[in-house]
mmCIF file of all heavy atoms in Angstrom:
data_model
loop_
_atom_site.group_PDB
_atom_site.id
_atom_site.type_symbol
_atom_site.label_atom_id
_atom_site.label_comp_id
_atom_site.label_asym_id
_atom_site.label_seq_id
_atom_site.Cartn_x
_atom_site.Cartn_y
_atom_site.Cartn_z
ATOM 1 N N LEU C 105 72.717 -84.095 -32.059
ATOM 2 C CA LEU C 105 71.902 -84.963 -32.870
ATOM 3 C C LEU C 105 71.314 -86.119 -32.111
ATOM 4 O O LEU C 105 70.188 -86.549 -32.313
ATOM 5 C CB LEU C 105 72.715 -85.531 -34.071
ATOM 6 C CG LEU C 105 73.262 -84.496 -35.053
ATOM 7 C CD1 LEU C 105 73.986 -85.190 -36.169
ATOM 8 C CD2 LEU C 105 72.139 -83.572 -35.572
ATOM 9 N N ALA C 106 72.102 -86.602 -31.101
ATOM 10 C CA ALA C 106 71.557 -87.697 -30.243
ATOM 11 C C ALA C 106 70.356 -87.216 -29.453
ATOM 12 O O ALA C 106 69.372 -87.917 -29.318
ATOM 13 C CB ALA C 106 72.674 -88.152 -29.300
ATOM 14 N N GLU C 107 70.427 -85.966 -29.013
ATOM 15 C CA GLU C 107 69.301 -85.386 -28.243
ATOM 16 C C GLU C 107 68.066 -85.210 -29.077
ATOM 17 O O GLU C 107 66.949 -85.211 -28.553
ATOM 18 C CB GLU C 107 69.733 -84.021 -27.666
ATOM 19 C CG GLU C 107 70.841 -84.105 -26.616
ATOM 20 C CD GLU C 107 71.415 -82.767 -26.274
ATOM 21 O OE1 GLU C 107 70.883 -81.727 -26.798
ATOM 22 O OE2 GLU C 107 72.349 -82.700 -25.462
ATOM 23 N N ARG C 108 68.258 -85.106 -30.416
ATOM 24 C CA ARG C 108 67.164 -84.848 -31.312
ATOM 25 C C ARG C 108 66.855 -86.018 -32.272
ATOM 26 O O ARG C 108 66.257 -85.832 -33.298
ATOM 27 C CB ARG C 108 67.462 -83.562 -32.122
ATOM 28 C CG ARG C 108 67.533 -82.300 -31.292
ATOM 29 C CD ARG C 108 68.266 -81.195 -31.996
ATOM 30 N NE ARG C 108 68.298 -79.951 -31.247
ATOM 31 C CZ ARG C 108 69.055 -79.713 -30.171
ATOM 32 N NH1 ARG C 108 69.883 -80.611 -29.736
ATOM 33 N NH2 ARG C 108 68.985 -78.527 -29.570
ATOM 34 N N ARG C 109 67.306 -87.142 -31.925
ATOM 35 C CA ARG C 109 67.249 -88.302 -32.854
ATOM 36 C C ARG C 109 65.853 -88.608 -33.357
ATOM 37 O O ARG C 109 65.704 -89.032 -34.467
ATOM 38 C CB ARG C 109 67.885 -89.544 -32.234
ATOM 39 C CG ARG C 109 67.241 -89.994 -30.938
ATOM 40 C CD ARG C 109 67.853 -91.321 -30.496
ATOM 41 N NE ARG C 109 67.464 -92.435 -31.392
ATOM 42 C CZ ARG C 109 68.111 -93.562 -31.517
ATOM 43 N NH1 ARG C 109 69.181 -93.783 -30.771
ATOM 44 N NH2 ARG C 109 67.684 -94.498 -32.300
ATOM 45 N N ASP C 110 64.830 -88.354 -32.553
ATOM 46 C CA ASP C 110 63.431 -88.661 -32.939
ATOM 47 C C ASP C 110 62.695 -87.435 -33.531
ATOM 48 O O ASP C 110 61.536 -87.558 -33.916
ATOM 49 C CB ASP C 110 62.682 -89.206 -31.767
ATOM 50 C CG ASP C 110 63.232 -90.528 -31.258
ATOM 51 O OD1 ASP C 110 63.645 -91.335 -32.107
ATOM 52 O OD2 ASP C 110 63.331 -90.740 -30.042
ATOM 53 N N LEU C 111 63.395 -86.297 -33.608
ATOM 54 C CA LEU C 111 62.775 -85.098 -34.143
ATOM 55 C C LEU C 111 62.837 -85.117 -35.612
ATOM 56 O O LEU C 111 63.786 -85.588 -36.263
ATOM 57 C CB LEU C 111 63.542 -83.888 -33.615
ATOM 58 C CG LEU C 111 62.931 -82.488 -33.872
ATOM 59 C CD1 LEU C 111 61.686 -82.298 -33.031
ATOM 60 C CD2 LEU C 111 64.001 -81.433 -33.481
ATOM 61 N N GLU C 112 61.755 -84.600 -36.280
ATOM 62 C CA GLU C 112 61.791 -84.459 -37.721
ATOM 63 C C GLU C 112 62.941 -83.511 -38.095
ATOM 64 O O GLU C 112 63.138 -82.446 -37.494
ATOM 65 C CB GLU C 112 60.481 -83.890 -38.263
ATOM 66 C CG GLU C 112 59.349 -84.907 -38.326
ATOM 67 C CD GLU C 112 58.181 -84.407 -39.056
ATOM 68 O OE1 GLU C 112 58.143 -83.254 -39.503
ATOM 69 O OE2 GLU C 112 57.211 -85.210 -39.239
ATOM 70 N N ALA C 113 63.711 -83.902 -39.114
ATOM 71 C CA ALA C 113 64.893 -83.119 -39.462
ATOM 72 C C ALA C 113 64.603 -81.697 -39.882
ATOM 73 O O ALA C 113 65.426 -80.801 -39.719
ATOM 74 C CB ALA C 113 65.675 -83.875 -40.557
ATOM 75 N N GLY C 114 63.398 -81.524 -40.440
ATOM 76 C CA GLY C 114 62.992 -80.188 -40.855
ATOM 77 C C GLY C 114 62.820 -79.222 -39.738
ATOM 78 O O GLY C 114 62.759 -78.006 -39.946
ATOM 79 N N ASN C 115 62.728 -79.739 -38.509
ATOM 80 C CA ASN C 115 62.599 -78.877 -37.314
ATOM 81 C C ASN C 115 63.935 -78.481 -36.697
ATOM 82 O O ASN C 115 63.939 -77.732 -35.719
ATOM 83 C CB ASN C 115 61.716 -79.554 -36.258
ATOM 84 C CG ASN C 115 60.245 -79.667 -36.705
ATOM 85 O OD1 ASN C 115 59.776 -78.774 -37.391
ATOM 86 N ND2 ASN C 115 59.601 -80.735 -36.367
ATOM 87 N N LEU C 116 65.014 -79.005 -37.255
ATOM 88 C CA LEU C 116 66.351 -78.595 -36.778
ATOM 89 C C LEU C 116 66.695 -77.201 -37.273
ATOM 90 O O LEU C 116 66.156 -76.766 -38.313
ATOM 91 C CB LEU C 116 67.387 -79.571 -37.300
ATOM 92 C CG LEU C 116 67.316 -81.050 -36.865
ATOM 93 C CD1 LEU C 116 68.394 -81.862 -37.561
ATOM 94 C CD2 LEU C 116 67.399 -81.180 -35.359
ATOM 95 N N SER C 117 67.590 -76.532 -36.587
ATOM 96 C CA SER C 117 68.106 -75.267 -37.114
ATOM 97 C C SER C 117 68.983 -75.566 -38.355
ATOM 98 O O SER C 117 69.346 -76.701 -38.610
ATOM 99 C CB SER C 117 68.978 -74.584 -36.032
ATOM 100 O OG SER C 117 70.193 -75.321 -35.841
ATOM 101 N N GLY C 118 69.290 -74.473 -39.084
ATOM 102 C CA GLY C 118 70.109 -74.663 -40.258
ATOM 103 C C GLY C 118 71.437 -75.316 -39.938
ATOM 104 O O GLY C 118 71.951 -76.160 -40.683
ATOM 105 N N GLY C 119 72.071 -74.851 -38.830
ATOM 106 C CA GLY C 119 73.344 -75.406 -38.419
ATOM 107 C C GLY C 119 73.224 -76.871 -38.070
ATOM 108 O O GLY C 119 74.133 -77.644 -38.394
ATOM 109 N N GLU C 120 72.173 -77.240 -37.332
ATOM 110 C CA GLU C 120 72.003 -78.641 -36.969
ATOM 111 C C GLU C 120 71.763 -79.498 -38.204
ATOM 112 O O GLU C 120 72.223 -80.641 -38.271
ATOM 113 C CB GLU C 120 70.855 -78.758 -35.974
ATOM 114 C CG GLU C 120 71.154 -78.190 -34.598
ATOM 115 C CD GLU C 120 69.918 -78.044 -33.747
ATOM 116 O OE1 GLU C 120 68.767 -78.000 -34.285
ATOM 117 O OE2 GLU C 120 70.057 -77.948 -32.513
ATOM 118 N N GLN C 121 71.020 -78.950 -39.169
ATOM 119 C CA GLN C 121 70.859 -79.696 -40.429
ATOM 120 C C GLN C 121 72.149 -79.921 -41.140
ATOM 121 O O GLN C 121 72.368 -80.984 -41.728
ATOM 122 C CB GLN C 121 69.852 -78.932 -41.319
ATOM 123 C CG GLN C 121 68.418 -78.931 -40.827
ATOM 124 C CD GLN C 121 67.497 -78.194 -41.742
ATOM 125 O OE1 GLN C 121 67.824 -77.867 -42.852
ATOM 126 N NE2 GLN C 121 66.290 -77.940 -41.252
ATOM 127 N N GLN C 122 73.049 -78.918 -41.089
ATOM 128 C CA GLN C 122 74.347 -79.084 -41.699
ATOM 129 C C GLN C 122 75.172 -80.159 -41.004
ATOM 130 O O GLN C 122 75.840 -80.980 -41.646
ATOM 131 C CB GLN C 122 75.132 -77.785 -41.719
ATOM 132 C CG GLN C 122 76.430 -77.814 -42.450
ATOM 133 C CD GLN C 122 76.270 -78.093 -43.941
ATOM 134 O OE1 GLN C 122 75.768 -77.263 -44.678
ATOM 135 N NE2 GLN C 122 76.624 -79.267 -44.383
ATOM 136 N N LEU C 123 75.131 -80.194 -39.689
ATOM 137 C CA LEU C 123 75.827 -81.240 -38.933
ATOM 138 C C LEU C 123 75.259 -82.615 -39.304
ATOM 139 O O LEU C 123 75.997 -83.578 -39.409
ATOM 140 C CB LEU C 123 75.712 -80.959 -37.431
ATOM 141 C CG LEU C 123 76.434 -79.706 -36.950
ATOM 142 C CD1 LEU C 123 76.252 -79.597 -35.409
ATOM 143 C CD2 LEU C 123 77.922 -79.697 -37.293
ATOM 144 N N LEU C 124 73.917 -82.669 -39.443
ATOM 145 C CA LEU C 124 73.319 -83.941 -39.805
ATOM 146 C C LEU C 124 73.756 -84.397 -41.193
ATOM 147 O O LEU C 124 74.081 -85.570 -41.404
ATOM 148 C CB LEU C 124 71.762 -83.763 -39.791
ATOM 149 C CG LEU C 124 70.915 -84.985 -40.261
ATOM 150 C CD1 LEU C 124 71.244 -86.234 -39.469
ATOM 151 C CD2 LEU C 124 69.450 -84.619 -40.207
ATOM 152 N N ALA C 125 73.854 -83.434 -42.168
ATOM 153 C CA ALA C 125 74.313 -83.815 -43.486
ATOM 154 C C ALA C 125 75.750 -84.298 -43.463
ATOM 155 O O ALA C 125 76.114 -85.288 -44.185
ATOM 156 C CB ALA C 125 74.174 -82.582 -44.427
ATOM 157 N N ILE C 126 76.589 -83.685 -42.657
ATOM 158 C CA ILE C 126 77.977 -84.109 -42.582
ATOM 159 C C ILE C 126 78.078 -85.472 -41.876
ATOM 160 O O ILE C 126 78.824 -86.358 -42.342
ATOM 161 C CB ILE C 126 78.824 -83.075 -41.792
ATOM 162 C CG1 ILE C 126 78.952 -81.764 -42.639
ATOM 163 C CG2 ILE C 126 80.221 -83.633 -41.493
ATOM 164 C CD1 ILE C 126 79.606 -80.607 -41.908
ATOM 165 N N ALA C 127 77.274 -85.654 -40.836
ATOM 166 C CA ALA C 127 77.238 -86.959 -40.135
ATOM 167 C C ALA C 127 76.805 -88.068 -41.045
ATOM 168 O O ALA C 127 77.410 -89.142 -41.086
ATOM 169 C CB ALA C 127 76.321 -86.853 -38.907
ATOM 170 N N ARG C 128 75.785 -87.808 -41.864
ATOM 171 C CA ARG C 128 75.317 -88.824 -42.792
ATOM 172 C C ARG C 128 76.416 -89.175 -43.836
ATOM 173 O O ARG C 128 76.594 -90.358 -44.144
ATOM 174 C CB ARG C 128 74.092 -88.312 -43.519
ATOM 175 C CG ARG C 128 73.372 -89.314 -44.411
ATOM 176 C CD ARG C 128 72.144 -88.734 -44.997
ATOM 177 N NE ARG C 128 72.398 -87.524 -45.791
ATOM 178 C CZ ARG C 128 71.474 -86.706 -46.248
ATOM 179 N NH1 ARG C 128 70.158 -86.961 -46.015
ATOM 180 N NH2 ARG C 128 71.762 -85.639 -46.967
ATOM 181 N N ALA C 129 77.136 -88.181 -44.267
ATOM 182 C CA ALA C 129 78.236 -88.470 -45.212
ATOM 183 C C ALA C 129 79.359 -89.246 -44.543
ATOM 184 O O ALA C 129 79.927 -90.145 -45.163
ATOM 185 C CB ALA C 129 78.765 -87.120 -45.759
ATOM 186 N N LEU C 130 79.682 -88.911 -43.305
ATOM 187 C CA LEU C 130 80.787 -89.628 -42.644
ATOM 188 C C LEU C 130 80.478 -91.057 -42.421
ATOM 189 O O LEU C 130 81.332 -91.914 -42.403
ATOM 190 C CB LEU C 130 81.052 -88.956 -41.296
ATOM 191 C CG LEU C 130 81.720 -87.542 -41.386
ATOM 192 C CD1 LEU C 130 81.838 -86.938 -39.993
ATOM 193 C CD2 LEU C 130 83.027 -87.606 -42.086
ATOM 194 N N LEU C 131 79.159 -91.395 -42.261
ATOM 195 C CA LEU C 131 78.801 -92.806 -42.065
ATOM 196 C C LEU C 131 79.127 -93.644 -43.277
ATOM 197 O O LEU C 131 79.238 -94.872 -43.185
ATOM 198 C CB LEU C 131 77.273 -92.896 -41.733
ATOM 199 C CG LEU C 131 76.918 -92.510 -40.324
ATOM 200 C CD1 LEU C 131 75.435 -92.354 -40.181
ATOM 201 C CD2 LEU C 131 77.415 -93.552 -39.303
ATOM 202 N N ALA C 132 79.209 -93.010 -44.459
ATOM 203 C CA ALA C 132 79.571 -93.722 -45.689
ATOM 204 C C ALA C 132 81.095 -94.051 -45.769
ATOM 205 O O ALA C 132 81.548 -94.603 -46.740
ATOM 206 C CB ALA C 132 79.121 -92.965 -46.923
ATOM 207 N N LYS C 133 81.850 -93.570 -44.764
ATOM 208 C CA LYS C 133 83.284 -93.773 -44.671
ATOM 209 C C LYS C 133 84.016 -93.345 -45.956
ATOM 210 O O LYS C 133 84.622 -94.116 -46.654
ATOM 211 C CB LYS C 133 83.598 -95.276 -44.361
ATOM 212 C CG LYS C 133 83.027 -95.775 -43.056
ATOM 213 C CD LYS C 133 83.483 -97.143 -42.694
ATOM 214 C CE LYS C 133 82.870 -97.648 -41.416
ATOM 215 N NZ LYS C 133 83.049 -96.743 -40.240
ATOM 216 N N PRO C 134 83.898 -92.045 -46.225
ATOM 217 C CA PRO C 134 84.470 -91.543 -47.476
ATOM 218 C C PRO C 134 85.972 -91.607 -47.531
ATOM 219 O O PRO C 134 86.663 -91.369 -46.528
ATOM 220 C CB PRO C 134 83.997 -90.081 -47.519
ATOM 221 C CG PRO C 134 83.800 -89.736 -46.073
ATOM 222 C CD PRO C 134 83.271 -90.977 -45.437
ATOM 223 N N ARG C 135 86.490 -91.946 -48.653
ATOM 224 C CA ARG C 135 87.931 -91.781 -48.912
ATOM 225 C C ARG C 135 88.222 -90.341 -49.238
ATOM 226 O O ARG C 135 89.298 -89.817 -48.872
ATOM 227 C CB ARG C 135 88.360 -92.693 -50.072
ATOM 228 C CG ARG C 135 89.827 -92.629 -50.301
ATOM 229 C CD ARG C 135 90.406 -93.799 -51.020
ATOM 230 N NE ARG C 135 91.842 -93.779 -51.035
ATOM 231 C CZ ARG C 135 92.611 -94.708 -51.616
ATOM 232 N NH1 ARG C 135 92.055 -95.777 -52.139
ATOM 233 N NH2 ARG C 135 93.916 -94.576 -51.623
#
């Protein structure tokens, strides 16, 4: 994700999009 930080998210592979979704959730510090 760091390598692709400026890329539009729609251009990521499906797996990379899933990692992005998980990363975004983790930033919210879930209980």
Side-chain angles (χ1 to χ4, degrees):
L105 297 182
E107 294 169 3
R108 294 160 176 77
R109 58 175 291 160
D110 297 320
L111 189 69
E112 285 191 355
N115 291 326
L116 298 176
S117 70
E120 290 167 339
Q121 289 180 12
Q122 185 63 70
L123 295 181
L124 176 58
I126 293 172
R128 186 176 59 189
L130 291 175
L131 283 168
K133 299 187 183 306
R135 182 156 188 180

